[in-house]
Amino acid sequence: MKRNVLLGCIADDFTGATDLANNLVRGGMRVVQVIGIPSRPLDVPADAVVVALKSRTIAPAEAQAQSLEALRWLKGHGAGQIYFKYCSTFDSTAQGNIGPVTEALMDALGTDFTIATPAFPENQRTVFKGHLFVGDVLLSDSGMRDHPLTPMTDSNLVRVLQAQCRRKVGLIDYRAVAQGEAAIRARLAQLRTDGVAIAIVDALTNEDLLRLGPALNDMLLLTAGSGVAIGLPPNFGLVPSGASATLPAAGGARAVVSGSCSQATQRQVRAFAAAGYPAFAVDPLRAACGDVVGQVLAWARPLLPGGPVLAYSTAQAHAVRAVQGRLGVQEAGELVERTMAQIACGLVDLGVRQLVIAGGETSGACVQALGVDLLQIGPQIAPGVPWCWGRDDAGRALHLALKSGNFGDDDFFGKAFTILQ
Ligand code: ADP
């Protein structure tokens, strides 16, 4: 049965999609995340649908085409407002894809104005005078400068986005945001008069995002990290409620697959192994020439009845660079993603039904390989990371936690399984 969706979201990677969905669920919206553009109509009730693409690092034209197809499906389900979600560290290359996708969506929606802000202060992402801070440091001084695929070396988001856009990019600074809806609307009007089409928005606290929400009520397109979502449910008359996060009961064996090389994930891998859980380091160079997947699964099989296991390619920046030097940047990324996805599928064949996946691209590759196409969003493990529930292409029910690299405390992997018990 076709149902009307209030808010239609397009996310440029899988963990980003769940991060956004998590915020909407916390605000009282029932949220379904679909993996890729659905081939069938929605058959479960949802106030918001998040279409999870894997478009962050593909060619800009392809990212635009996929985003426009997602837009058509969402509009077909009645979505009146569209939210393009990207990473809270504004992950992009000089070519895009944040700018090109934003402009393609603006063209398709016939709108002349939108906002762009990755701010989410609760998650240590603040924007001040257009500059993005990750915790206490500028984006360009954070671990993101060493990201394998989208190294971020400029913290000035107006400059970063302008380089990717034909339209003029401006700024709604913290002073307007602090004064609330009327001041924000006045600034929006001023920017429009000045010929600006896309406004970076400062936010220093979560309250800034809550103040921003009402000013976005009538904007056809929003582009943001997941933070802006906390201010939106009241626009649809919704309030927080635990009922929006209920999932079926969990069972089966437990495992973690980690292909993220972020500093947070490196700490989480070390903490999990130090807590005594079995951990297998996947060497990309051996994956290039041997049967690493078979080795991991043979290792995991006898261990799984005893508790969760971890398979990881997570490595420090110098080790990643060495592998990229041997295989090429893109080739290394794809090889590792393919390998981790095969490991995830093999673990499910061995009876794993509670699976934590670390890494945005890695999660995308794993979920695609498992053939999971729809996820119900459940309770939060850490800010930005909820447990999700769905079925793989063999109809097996899986609880999945898809963790973006930078998210979660050091004990995230162990804590995730505790929350599900
Ligand atoms: P994050 O969420 O931390 O950005 P992603 O999974 O999105 O994590 O991106 C990490 C990228 O690095 C993936 O393409 C992954 O395949 C690649 N990768 C992971 N481990 C290694 C490694 N040891 N050497 C080279 N590339 C790696």
Side-chain angles (χ1 to χ4, degrees):
M1 193 204 340
K2 206 161 136 178
R3 293 168 195 272
N4 260 3
V5 168
L6 302 173
L7 181 67
C9 311
I10 303 166
D12 70 352
D13 88 337
F14 287 72
T15 50
T18 33
D19 174 15
L20 171 61
N22 182 51
N23 281 350
L24 295 170
V25 167
R26 284 167 68 204
M29 293 184 106
R30 293 164 305 168
V31 183
V32 163
Q33 177 176 335
V34 290
I35 316 300
I37 294 129
S39 51
R40 54 187 165 101
L42 192 65
D43 55 4
V44 287
D47 302 312
V49 174
V50 185
V51 178
L53 300 178
K54 195 169 179 307
S55 56
R56 184 169 296 167
T57 56
I58 62 178
E62 178 59 19
Q64 289 174 319
Q66 289 185 16
S67 304
L68 290 175
E69 208 183 321
L71 175 67
R72 275 190 291 276
W73 188 91
L74 291 165
K75 294 297 278 181
H77 282 73
Q81 189 171 44
I82 300 296
Y83 191 126
F84 169 41
K85 154 75 175 72
Y86 36 77
C87 190
S88 70
T89 41
F90 219 68
D91 298 15
S92 47
T93 65
Q95 290 72 45
N97 291 332
I98 296 176
V101 169
T102 298
E103 297 204 277
L105 293 172
M106 291 179 81
D107 289 340
L109 287 165
T111 185
D112 66 348
F113 200 88
T114 188
I115 57 147
T117 182
F120 192 8
E122 176 191 322
N123 237 356
Q124 307 295 315
R125 306 290 185 271
T126 49
V127 179
F128 177 62
K129 294 185 185 254
H131 288 71
L132 174 58
F133 287 80
V134 177
D136 295 331
V137 300
L138 282 165
L139 173 68
S140 51
D141 292 326
S142 77
M144 280 308 298
R145 67 177 169 222
D146 296 317
H147 189 276
L149 303 176
T150 50
M152 297 303 291
T153 53
D154 187 359
S155 310
N156 182 332
L157 299 183
V158 175
R159 196 162 51 204
V160 170
L161 189 56
Q162 188 65 78
Q164 301 175 21
C165 286
R166 288 178 282 115
R167 290 172 170 81
K168 195 169 163 190
V169 181
L171 174 69
I172 302 176
D173 88 356
Y174 69 99
R175 285 168 295 208
V177 176
Q179 290 170 52
E181 182 179 355
I184 297 168
R185 285 188 185 274
R187 179 68 184 142
L188 285 172
Q190 179 63 49
L191 287 172
R192 258 199 175 104
T193 309
D194 295 346
V196 167
I198 308 171
I200 300 289
V201 187
D202 279 356
L204 311 181
T205 63
N206 270 18
E207 286 65 39
D208 284 339
L209 295 177
L210 296 174
R211 275 188 284 272
L212 177 64
L216 306 177
N217 198 11
D218 45 8
M219 207 175 269
L220 288 180
L221 174 68
L222 310 175
T223 89
S226 68
V228 165
I230 68 171
L232 299 184
N235 289 349
F236 302 102
L238 294 167
V239 292
S241 140
S244 56
T246 313
L247 294 182
R254 296 167 287 170
V256 182
V257 170
S258 176
S260 156
C261 297
S262 73
Q263 291 175 359
T265 305
Q266 290 183 40
R267 289 193 298 272
Q268 289 155 358
V269 164
R270 279 197 296 272
F272 197 65
Y277 293 105
F280 191 111
V282 175
D283 178 350
L285 295 177
R286 285 181 61 194
C289 57
D291 180 22
V292 171
V293 177
Q295 288 168 14
V296 173
L297 296 178
W299 164 84
R301 182 193 296 271
L303 296 170
L304 285 170
V309 302
L310 162 68
Y312 66 98
S313 66
T314 306
Q316 294 180 15
H318 63 86
V320 171
R321 275 195 293 273
V323 169
Q324 290 176 333
R326 293 278 291 276
L327 302 176
V329 174
Q330 204 68 29
E331 291 77 4
E334 285 168 12
L335 171 72
V336 176
E337 285 167 36
R338 206 165 49 241
T339 304
M340 302 317 276
Q342 288 168 357
I343 291 171
C345 291
L347 288 169
V348 170
D349 288 340
L350 292 177
V352 168
R353 296 292 180 271
Q354 302 171 43
L355 182 61
V356 176
I357 305 169
E361 298 292 329
T362 308
S363 292
C366 290
V367 167
Q368 252 168 6
L370 285 164
V372 177
D373 65 354
L374 190 149
L375 289 169
Q376 248 173 276
I377 307 302
Q380 170 173 300
I381 305 162
V385 201
W387 272 108
C388 309
W389 182 90
R391 293 187 184 278
D392 71 1
D393 51 10
R396 296 175 289 201
L398 303 176
H399 283 79
L400 296 171
L402 311 175
K403 189 195 82 79
S404 168
N406 299 311
F407 285 0
D409 292 333
D410 293 1
D411 63 350
F412 177 87
F413 296 150
K415 185 180 164 198
F417 296 113
T418 314
I419 285 185
L420 216 45
Q421 293 322 305

